[in-house]
Coordinates of all heavy atoms in Angstrom, one line a residue:
V1 N 214.5 172.7 322.5 CA 214.5 171.3 322.9 C 215.0 170.4 321.8 O 215.1 170.9 320.6 CB 213.0 170.8 323.2 CG1 212.5 171.6 324.4 CG2 212.1 170.9 322.0
G2 N 215.4 169.2 322.0 CA 215.7 168.2 321.0 C 214.7 167.4 320.7 O 213.8 167.0 321.5
L3 N 214.6 166.9 319.4 CA 213.6 166.0 319.0 C 214.3 164.9 318.3 O 215.2 165.2 317.4 CB 212.6 166.6 318.0 CG 211.5 167.5 318.6 CD1 210.6 167.9 317.4 CD2 210.7 166.8 319.6
K4 N 214.0 163.6 318.6 CA 214.5 162.5 317.9 C 213.3 161.7 317.5 O 212.3 161.7 318.1 CB 215.3 161.5 318.8 CG 216.7 162.1 319.3 CD 217.3 161.1 320.1 CE 218.6 161.6 320.7 NZ 219.5 160.6 321.3
M5 N 213.4 161.0 316.3 CA 212.2 160.2 315.8 C 212.8 159.2 314.7 O 213.9 159.4 314.2 CB 211.2 161.1 315.2 CG 211.7 161.9 313.9 SD 210.7 163.4 313.6 CE 211.5 164.5 314.8
N6 N 212.1 158.3 314.4 CA 212.3 157.4 313.3 C 211.3 157.8 312.2 O 210.1 158.1 312.5 CB 212.1 155.9 313.7 CG 213.1 155.4 314.7 OD1 214.2 156.0 314.7 ND2 212.9 154.4 315.4
V7 N 211.8 157.6 310.9 CA 210.9 158.0 309.9 C 211.1 157.0 308.7 O 212.2 156.7 308.4 CB 211.4 159.4 309.3 CG1 210.6 159.8 308.0 CG2 211.3 160.4 310.4
P8 N 210.0 156.5 308.1 CA 210.1 155.6 307.0 C 210.9 156.4 305.8 O 210.6 157.5 305.6 CB 208.7 155.4 306.6 CG 207.8 155.6 307.7 CD 208.6 156.8 308.5
R9 N 211.8 155.8 305.2 CA 212.6 156.4 304.2 C 211.7 157.1 303.1 O 211.9 158.1 302.7 CB 213.5 155.4 303.4 CG 214.8 155.2 304.0 CD 215.7 154.4 303.2 NE 216.7 153.9 304.0 CZ 217.9 154.6 304.4 NH1 218.0 155.8 303.9 NH2 218.7 154.0 305.2
R10 N 210.6 156.4 302.8 CA 209.7 156.9 301.7 C 209.0 158.2 302.2 O 208.4 158.9 301.3 CB 208.7 155.8 301.3 CG 207.8 155.3 302.4 CD 206.9 154.1 301.9 NE 206.3 153.5 303.0 CZ 205.2 154.0 303.6 NH1 204.7 155.1 303.2 NH2 204.6 153.3 304.6
K11 N 209.0 158.4 303.5 CA 208.3 159.6 304.0 C 209.3 160.7 304.5 O 208.9 161.7 305.0 CB 207.3 159.3 305.1 CG 206.2 158.4 304.6 CD 205.1 158.4 305.5 CE 204.0 157.5 304.9 NZ 202.7 157.9 305.4
L12 N 210.5 160.5 304.3 CA 211.6 161.4 304.8 C 211.4 162.8 304.3 O 211.4 163.8 305.0 CB 213.0 160.9 304.5 CG 214.1 161.8 305.0 CD1 214.1 162.0 306.5 CD2 215.5 161.2 304.6
Q13 N 211.2 163.0 303.0 CA 211.1 164.4 302.4 C 209.9 165.1 303.0 O 209.9 166.3 303.2 CB 211.1 164.3 300.9 CG 212.4 163.9 300.3 CD 213.6 164.6 300.8 OE1 213.5 165.9 300.9 NE2 214.6 164.0 301.3
T14 N 208.8 164.3 303.2 CA 207.5 164.9 303.8 C 207.8 165.4 305.1 O 207.4 166.5 305.5 CB 206.4 163.9 303.7 OG1 206.3 163.4 302.5 CG2 205.1 164.4 304.2
V15 N 208.5 164.6 306.0 CA 208.8 165.0 307.4 C 209.8 166.2 307.3 O 209.5 167.2 308.1 CB 209.4 163.8 308.1 CG1 209.9 164.3 309.5 CG2 208.3 162.7 308.4
L16 N 210.8 166.2 306.5 CA 211.8 167.3 306.5 C 211.1 168.6 306.0 O 211.5 169.7 306.5 CB 212.9 167.0 305.5 CG 213.8 165.9 305.9 CD1 214.8 165.6 304.8 CD2 214.5 166.3 307.2
A17 N 210.0 168.4 305.2 CA 209.3 169.7 304.8 C 208.6 170.4 306.0 O 208.4 171.7 305.9 CB 208.3 169.3 303.7
V18 N 208.2 169.7 307.0 CA 207.5 170.4 308.1 C 208.5 170.6 309.3 O 208.0 171.2 310.3 CB 206.3 169.6 308.6 CG1 205.3 169.4 307.5 CG2 206.7 168.2 309.2
L19 N 209.7 170.2 309.2 CA 210.6 170.3 310.4 C 211.5 171.4 310.3 O 212.5 171.4 309.4 CB 211.4 169.0 310.4 CG 212.2 168.7 311.6 CD1 211.3 168.5 312.8 CD2 213.0 167.4 311.4
P20 N 211.4 172.4 311.2 CA 212.4 173.5 311.3 C 213.7 173.0 311.9 O 213.6 172.0 312.7 CB 211.7 174.6 312.1 CG 210.8 173.8 313.0 CD 210.3 172.6 312.1
A21 N 214.8 173.6 311.7 CA 216.0 173.2 312.4 C 217.0 174.5 312.4 O 216.8 175.3 311.5 CB 216.7 172.0 311.6
I22 N 217.9 174.4 313.2 CA 218.8 175.6 313.3 C 219.6 175.6 312.1 O 219.8 176.6 311.4 CB 219.7 175.4 314.6 CG1 218.9 175.7 315.9 CG2 220.9 176.4 314.5 CD1 219.6 175.5 317.1
T23 N 220.2 174.4 311.6 CA 220.8 174.3 310.3 C 220.1 173.3 309.5 O 219.3 173.7 308.7 CB 222.3 174.0 310.5 OG1 222.5 172.8 311.3 CG2 223.1 175.2 311.2
S24 N 220.3 172.1 309.8 CA 219.6 171.0 309.2 C 219.6 169.8 310.1 O 220.5 169.7 310.9 CB 220.1 170.7 307.8 OG 221.5 170.1 307.9
P25 N 218.6 168.9 310.0 CA 218.5 167.8 311.0 C 219.5 166.8 310.6 O 220.1 166.7 309.4 CB 217.2 167.3 310.8 CG 216.6 167.9 309.6 CD 217.4 169.1 309.2
T26 N 220.0 166.0 311.6 CA 220.8 164.9 311.3 C 220.0 163.7 311.0 O 219.0 163.4 311.7 CB 221.6 164.5 312.7 OG1 222.3 165.7 313.1 CG2 222.5 163.4 312.5
V27 N 220.3 163.0 309.9 CA 219.6 161.8 309.5 C 220.6 160.7 309.4 O 221.7 160.8 308.9 CB 219.1 162.0 308.0 CG1 218.3 160.8 307.5 CG2 218.1 163.2 308.0
S28 N 220.3 159.5 310.2 CA 221.1 158.4 310.3 C 220.4 157.2 309.8 O 219.3 157.0 310.0 CB 221.5 158.2 311.8 OG 222.2 159.4 312.3
N29 N 221.2 156.3 309.2 CA 220.7 155.0 308.8 C 220.4 154.1 310.1 O 221.1 154.2 311.1 CB 221.7 154.3 307.9 CG 221.9 154.9 306.7 OD1 220.9 155.4 306.0 ND2 223.1 154.9 306.1
L30 N 219.4 153.3 310.0 CA 219.0 152.3 311.0 C 219.3 150.9 310.4 O 219.5 150.7 309.2 CB 217.6 152.4 311.4 CG 217.1 153.7 312.0 CD1 215.6 153.8 312.3 CD2 217.9 153.9 313.4
T31 N 219.3 149.9 311.3 CA 219.5 148.5 310.8 C 218.3 148.1 309.9 O 218.6 147.2 309.1 CB 219.6 147.5 312.0 OG1 218.6 147.6 312.8 CG2 221.0 147.8 312.8
D32 N 217.2 148.6 310.1 CA 216.1 148.4 309.2 C 216.2 149.4 308.1 O 216.0 150.5 308.2 CB 214.7 148.6 309.9 CG 213.5 148.3 309.1 OD1 213.6 148.3 307.8 OD2 212.4 148.1 309.7
D33 N 216.6 148.9 306.9 CA 216.8 149.8 305.8 C 215.6 150.6 305.3 O 215.7 151.6 304.6 CB 217.3 149.1 304.5 CG 218.7 148.6 304.7 OD1 219.4 149.2 305.5 OD2 219.0 147.6 304.1
N34 N 214.4 150.3 305.8 CA 213.1 151.0 305.5 C 213.0 152.3 306.3 O 212.1 153.0 306.0 CB 211.9 150.1 305.7 CG 211.9 149.0 304.7 OD1 212.2 149.1 303.5 ND2 211.8 147.8 305.2
Y35 N 213.8 152.5 307.3 CA 213.6 153.7 308.3 C 215.0 154.3 308.4 O 216.0 153.7 308.2 CB 213.2 153.2 309.6 CG 211.7 152.8 309.7 CD1 211.3 151.6 309.3 CD2 210.9 153.8 310.2 CE1 209.9 151.2 309.4 CE2 209.5 153.5 310.3 CZ 209.0 152.2 309.8 OH 207.7 151.9 309.9
V36 N 214.9 155.6 308.8 CA 216.1 156.4 309.2 C 215.8 157.0 310.6 O 214.6 157.1 311.0 CB 216.4 157.6 308.2 CG1 216.8 156.9 306.9 CG2 215.3 158.5 308.0
A37 N 216.8 157.3 311.3 CA 216.6 158.1 312.6 C 216.9 159.6 312.2 O 217.8 159.9 311.4 CB 217.6 157.6 313.6
L38 N 216.1 160.4 312.8 CA 216.3 161.9 312.5 C 216.4 162.6 313.9 O 215.6 162.3 314.8 CB 215.0 162.3 311.8 CG 215.0 163.7 311.1 CD1 214.3 163.7 309.8 CD2 214.5 164.8 312.0
E39 N 217.3 163.5 314.0 CA 217.5 164.3 315.2 C 217.6 165.8 314.9 O 218.3 166.1 313.9 CB 218.7 163.9 316.0 CG 218.8 164.6 317.3 CD 219.8 163.9 318.2 OE1 220.5 162.9 317.8 OE2 220.1 164.3 319.3
T40 N 217.0 166.7 315.6 CA 217.0 168.1 315.4 C 216.8 168.8 316.7 O 216.4 168.3 317.7 CB 216.0 168.5 314.3 OG1 216.3 169.8 313.9 CG2 214.6 168.4 314.8
I41 N 217.1 170.2 316.7 CA 216.9 171.0 317.8 C 215.9 172.2 317.2 O 216.1 172.7 316.2 CB 218.2 171.8 318.1 CG1 219.4 170.8 318.4 CG2 218.0 172.8 319.3 CD1 219.0 169.8 319.5
I42 N 214.8 172.3 318.1 CA 213.9 173.4 317.7 C 213.5 174.2 318.9 O 213.8 173.8 320.0 CB 212.6 172.7 317.1 CG1 211.9 171.8 318.1 CG2 212.9 171.9 315.8 CD1 210.5 171.5 317.7
D43 N 212.8 175.3 318.6 CA 212.3 176.2 319.7 C 211.2 175.5 320.4 O 210.3 174.9 319.8 CB 211.8 177.4 319.0 CG 211.4 178.5 320.0 OD1 210.8 178.2 321.0 OD2 211.8 179.7 319.8
E44 N 211.3 175.4 321.7 CA 210.3 174.7 322.6 C 208.9 175.2 322.3 O 207.9 174.5 322.4 CB 210.6 174.9 324.1 CG 209.8 174.1 325.0 CD 210.2 174.3 326.4 OE1 211.0 175.2 326.8 OE2 209.7 173.5 327.2
A45 N 208.7 176.5 321.9 CA 207.3 177.1 321.6 C 206.7 176.3 320.5 O 205.4 176.4 320.3 CB 207.4 178.5 321.4
L46 N 207.4 175.7 319.6 CA 206.9 175.0 318.4 C 206.5 173.6 318.6 O 205.8 173.0 317.8 CB 207.9 175.0 317.2 CG 208.5 176.4 316.8 CD1 209.5 176.2 315.8 CD2 207.3 177.2 316.3
V47 N 206.9 173.0 319.8 CA 206.7 171.5 319.9 C 205.2 171.1 319.9 O 204.9 170.2 319.2 CB 207.4 171.1 321.2 CG1 207.0 169.7 321.5 CG2 208.9 171.2 321.1
K48 N 204.3 171.8 320.6 CA 203.0 171.4 320.6 C 202.3 171.3 319.3 O 201.5 170.4 319.0 CB 202.1 172.4 321.6 CG 202.2 172.0 323.0 CD 201.2 173.0 323.7 CE 200.8 172.4 325.0 NZ 199.9 173.2 325.8
R49 N 202.6 172.3 318.4 CA 202.1 172.3 317.1 C 202.7 171.3 316.2 O 202.1 170.6 315.4 CB 202.2 173.7 316.5 CG 201.7 173.7 315.1 CD 202.1 175.1 314.4 NE 203.5 175.4 314.4 CZ 204.4 174.9 313.5 NH1 204.0 174.1 312.5 NH2 205.7 175.3 313.5
L50 N 204.1 171.1 316.4 CA 204.9 170.4 315.5 C 204.7 168.8 315.6 O 204.7 168.1 314.6 CB 206.3 170.7 315.6 CG 207.3 170.3 314.6 CD1 206.9 170.7 313.2 CD2 208.7 170.7 314.9
I51 N 204.6 168.4 316.8 CA 204.5 166.9 316.9 C 203.4 166.3 316.2 O 203.6 165.3 315.5 CB 204.6 166.5 318.5 CG1 206.1 166.8 319.0 CG2 204.2 165.0 318.6 CD1 206.3 166.4 320.4
P52 N 202.2 166.8 316.4 CA 201.1 166.2 315.5 C 201.3 166.3 314.0 O 201.0 165.4 313.3 CB 199.8 167.1 315.9 CG 200.2 167.7 317.2 CD 201.6 167.9 317.2
E53 N 202.0 167.4 313.5 CA 202.3 167.5 312.1 C 203.3 166.4 311.7 O 203.2 165.8 310.7 CB 202.9 168.8 311.8 CG 201.9 169.9 311.8 CD 202.5 171.3 311.4 OE1 203.3 171.3 310.5 OE2 202.1 172.3 312.0
L54 N 204.3 166.2 312.6 CA 205.3 165.1 312.3 C 204.6 163.7 312.2 O 205.0 162.9 311.4 CB 206.4 165.1 313.4 CG 207.3 166.3 313.4 CD1 208.2 166.4 314.6 CD2 208.2 166.3 312.1
K55 N 203.7 163.5 313.2 CA 203.0 162.2 313.1 C 202.3 162.0 311.9 O 202.3 161.0 311.3 CB 202.1 162.0 314.4 CG 203.0 161.8 315.7 CD 202.1 161.8 316.9 CE 201.4 160.5 316.9 NZ 200.5 160.2 318.1
R56 N 201.5 163.1 311.5 CA 200.8 163.0 310.2 C 201.7 162.7 309.0 O 201.3 162.1 308.0 CB 199.9 164.2 310.0 CG 198.6 164.2 310.8 CD 197.7 165.4 310.4 NE 198.3 166.7 310.6 CZ 198.2 167.4 311.8 NH1 197.6 166.8 312.8 NH2 198.7 168.6 311.9
A57 N 202.8 163.3 309.1 CA 203.8 163.2 308.0 C 204.5 161.8 308.0 O 205.1 161.5 306.9 CB 204.9 164.3 308.1
G58 N 204.4 161.1 309.0 CA 204.9 159.7 309.0 C 205.9 159.4 310.1 O 206.4 158.2 310.2
A59 N 206.3 160.3 310.9 CA 207.3 160.1 312.0 C 206.7 159.2 313.1 O 205.5 159.3 313.4 CB 207.8 161.4 312.6
V60 N 207.6 158.4 313.6 CA 207.2 157.5 314.8 C 208.2 157.5 315.8 O 209.4 157.9 315.6 CB 206.9 156.0 314.3 CG1 205.8 155.9 313.3 CG2 208.2 155.4 313.7
G61 N 207.9 157.1 317.0 CA 208.8 157.0 318.1 C 209.4 158.3 318.4 O 210.7 158.5 318.6
I62 N 208.7 159.4 318.5 CA 209.2 160.8 318.7 C 209.5 161.0 320.1 O 208.7 160.7 321.1 CB 208.1 161.8 318.3 CG1 207.8 161.6 316.7 CG2 208.6 163.2 318.5 CD1 206.6 162.4 316.4
I63 N 210.7 161.4 320.4 CA 211.3 161.8 321.7 C 211.6 163.2 321.8 O 212.3 163.8 320.9 CB 212.5 160.9 322.0 CG1 212.3 159.4 321.9 CG2 213.1 161.3 323.4 CD1 213.5 158.6 321.9
E64 N 211.1 163.9 322.8 CA 211.4 165.3 323.0 C 212.2 165.3 324.3 O 211.9 164.7 325.3 CB 210.2 166.1 323.3 CG 210.3 167.5 323.7 CD 209.1 168.3 324.1 OE1 208.0 167.8 323.9 OE2 209.3 169.3 324.8
Y65 N 213.4 166.1 324.2 CA 214.2 166.2 325.4 C 214.7 167.6 325.7 O 214.9 168.3 324.6 CB 215.4 165.2 325.3 CG 216.3 165.4 324.1 CD1 217.4 166.1 324.1 CD2 216.0 164.7 323.0 CE1 218.2 166.3 323.1 CE2 216.7 164.9 321.8 CZ 217.9 165.6 321.9 OH 218.6 165.8 320.8
P66 N 214.9 168.0 326.9 CA 215.4 169.4 327.2 C 216.8 169.5 326.9 O 217.6 168.6 326.9 CB 215.1 169.5 328.7 CG 215.2 168.2 329.2 CD 214.7 167.2 328.1
L67 N 217.2 170.8 326.7 CA 218.6 171.1 326.4 C 219.1 172.1 327.6 O 218.3 173.0 327.9 CB 218.8 171.7 325.1 CG 218.5 170.9 323.9 CD1 218.4 171.7 322.6 CD2 219.3 169.7 323.8
N68 N 220.3 171.9 328.0 CA 220.9 172.9 328.9 C 221.4 174.2 328.2 O 221.2 175.3 328.7 CB 222.0 172.2 329.7 CG 221.5 171.2 330.6 OD1 220.3 171.2 331.1 ND2 222.3 170.2 330.8
K69 N 222.1 174.0 327.1 CA 222.6 175.1 326.4 C 222.9 174.8 325.0 O 223.2 173.7 324.7 CB 224.0 175.3 327.1 CG 224.8 176.5 326.9 CD 226.1 176.5 327.6 CE 226.0 176.4 329.1 NZ 227.3 176.5 329.8
I70 N 222.7 175.8 324.1 CA 223.1 175.7 322.7 C 224.2 176.8 322.5 O 224.0 177.9 322.8 CB 221.9 175.9 321.8 CG1 220.8 174.9 322.1 CG2 222.3 175.9 320.4 CD1 219.5 175.1 321.3
I71 N 225.3 176.3 321.9 CA 226.4 177.2 321.6 C 226.5 177.2 320.1 O 226.7 176.3 319.4 CB 227.6 176.7 322.2 CG1 227.4 176.6 323.7 CG2 228.8 177.6 321.8 CD1 228.6 175.9 324.4
Y72 N 226.4 178.4 319.5 CA 226.4 178.6 318.0 C 227.9 178.9 317.6 O 228.6 179.5 318.2 CB 225.5 179.8 317.6 CG 224.1 179.6 317.9 CD1 223.5 180.0 319.0 CD2 223.3 178.8 316.9 CE1 222.1 179.9 319.2 CE2 222.0 178.6 317.1 CZ 221.4 179.1 318.3 OH 220.0 178.9 318.5

């Protein structure tokens, strides 16, 4: 599945530490310099455990979306 979220810049390293990714997550700047947008692809089996960890680490506005296909 795909996950998107916003993360306070000051908590980015904490969120990245709990976030698995196929290679590495995409981190994009937002108009609010205090936050970044983060997007990654993870195994669906991890989502139930991972979302509470991400929230504790500081992520907000978490979106989970299904994927049709991943091509390596």
Side-chain angles (χ1 to χ4, degrees):
V1 297
L3 285 181
K4 292 183 180 186
M5 65 203 77
N6 290 338
V7 179
R9 272 187 201 280
R10 61 186 171 74
K11 298 202 173 197
L12 180 58
Q13 293 308 314
T14 304
V15 170
L16 290 174
V18 299
L19 191 62
I22 290 174
T23 54
S24 64
T26 301
V27 178
S28 305
N29 292 320
L30 295 175
T31 55
D32 181 342
D33 290 334
N34 294 313
Y35 284 83
V36 295
L38 195 146
E39 185 169 0
T40 193
I41 305 302
I42 64 164
D43 188 314
E44 186 174 15
L46 301 175
V47 172
K48 275 187 159 180
R49 175 190 59 82
L50 191 59
I51 288 179
E53 288 183 37
L54 290 169
K55 289 177 72 175
R56 281 191 297 275
V60 295
I62 300 169
I63 300 169
E64 175 189 345
Y65 57 92
L67 299 172
N68 292 329
K69 194 181 299 186
I70 297 177
I71 302 169
Y72 296 98

